[in-house]
Amino acid sequence: MTKNLLITRPNYDLPTTYLFSWSKLVIKCAYQKGFRIVDLPNGKSNETDFAGRVNKTDPSFIFFNGHGSKSVVTGHNGEVLVSDKKNLDLLRGRVIFSRSCSSAMKLGPKSISSGAKAFIGYKEPFIFILEPEKSSHPLSDKTAALFLEPSNQVAISLLKGHSSLEASKRAKNAFAKNIKKLLTSESKKEDSATLRYLFWDMKHQVCLGDATVI
């Protein structure tokens, strides 16, 4: 993979605020690994800026954060960035990690058939639990960390030079480690939901396209 990352970071509600914050750790890793970074935070995560920066900087790796559906990835305020019928040419020849609900169901396969090298994402909603009292400091939320640290491992592993399949496996292993940690601890009753959704995210994370691409 050439060292060129584009990352979208909308930030307009609680879930996107968490993804916005936790993606900072990926950006930090990218800097350490010598990547050129195109960061589209807040309102810059719109279709015009996204398309313009992709065409101008030709990123090898695109990391989407935000809401989505089976066929759509959105940016700030829910603006559609890519769908199974729109802007697929912008993904051609690139590795994609979409941390956006259900986007690996239809958009992922369509991206691959349209020329994307690899697409890692979730075939069902990506779910994480948070502690409301930590909402102003998402990186200090230990419950959210159980979900977002493993998910970050996809991007971090790719930045470290692992293949798309290995990156997906490393993230799944991190989910499994957190599941085991909760199962072997004196878990509180409320941890049952945490366990259920950790398993859910691990199960529905998929790697499509060329598994060997780096």
Side-chain angles (χ1 to χ4, degrees):
M1 180 187 294
T2 58
K3 294 193 170 185
N4 200 347
L5 164 69
L6 185 146
I7 180 170
T8 67
R9 294 194 302 140
N11 182 13
Y12 62 96
D13 60 10
L14 199 52
T16 56
T17 293
Y18 267 70
L19 298 183
F20 175 92
S21 296
W22 278 88
S23 295
K24 292 177 182 178
L25 302 181
V26 173
I27 293 173
K28 180 179 179 181
C29 177
Y31 275 120
Q32 292 171 342
K33 293 299 177 181
F35 274 71
R36 178 186 181 188
I37 301 162
V38 177
D39 183 19
L40 298 179
N42 303 309
K44 290 184 178 180
S45 186
N46 62 71
E47 183 187 3
T48 299
D49 283 341
F50 171 70
R53 298 307 292 273
V54 169
N55 287 323
K56 182 177 181 180
T57 65
D58 191 25
S60 53
F61 174 25
I62 296 177
F63 179 18
F64 290 111
N65 290 276
H67 293 294
S69 68
K70 293 178 181 179
S71 57
V72 167
V73 168
T74 68
H76 201 66
N77 289 330
E79 181 174 348
V80 174
L81 302 181
V82 180
S83 77
D84 61 350
K85 297 179 177 64
K86 182 179 184 181
N87 290 334
L88 284 172
D89 59 304
L90 298 176
L91 308 186
R92 188 176 299 124
R94 314 185 200 283
V95 175
I96 311 299
F97 174 35
S98 177
R99 185 152 60 182
S100 182
C101 285
S102 308
S103 56
M105 177 63 76
K106 292 184 178 180
L107 178 60
K110 193 65 179 290
S111 299
I112 298 301
S113 66
S114 297
K117 289 183 176 180
F119 188 104
I120 303 172
Y122 301 88
K123 294 184 74 173
E124 297 289 345
F126 175 71
I127 299 172
F128 62 92
I129 295 176
L130 53 83
E131 302 171 41
E133 65 274 16
K134 300 292 180 63
S135 60
S136 59
H137 300 284
L139 290 173
S140 69
D141 189 329
K142 293 182 179 179
T143 301
L146 293 170
F147 298 85
L148 297 176
E149 284 180 348
S151 183
N152 270 359
Q153 273 302 311
V154 174
I156 289 171
S157 295
L158 289 168
L159 294 171
K160 290 181 176 180
H162 295 287
S163 70
S164 56
L165 181 60
E166 181 63 22
S168 183
K169 285 182 176 179
R170 284 172 175 255
K172 284 176 174 281
N173 287 341
F175 277 116
K177 182 178 179 180
N178 286 344
I179 290 169
K180 182 178 180 181
K181 185 192 304 182
L182 288 181
L183 286 172
T184 56
S185 68
E186 295 182 1
S187 299
K188 298 174 289 186
K189 288 183 178 180
E190 53 265 34
D191 284 338
S192 62
T194 304
L195 282 165
R196 181 166 66 254
Y197 292 126
L198 283 170
F199 181 78
W200 172 272
D201 289 340
M202 179 179 70
K203 177 182 178 182
H204 294 294
Q205 180 185 294
V206 297
C207 177
L208 307 174
D210 185 352
T212 66
V213 70
I214 297 176

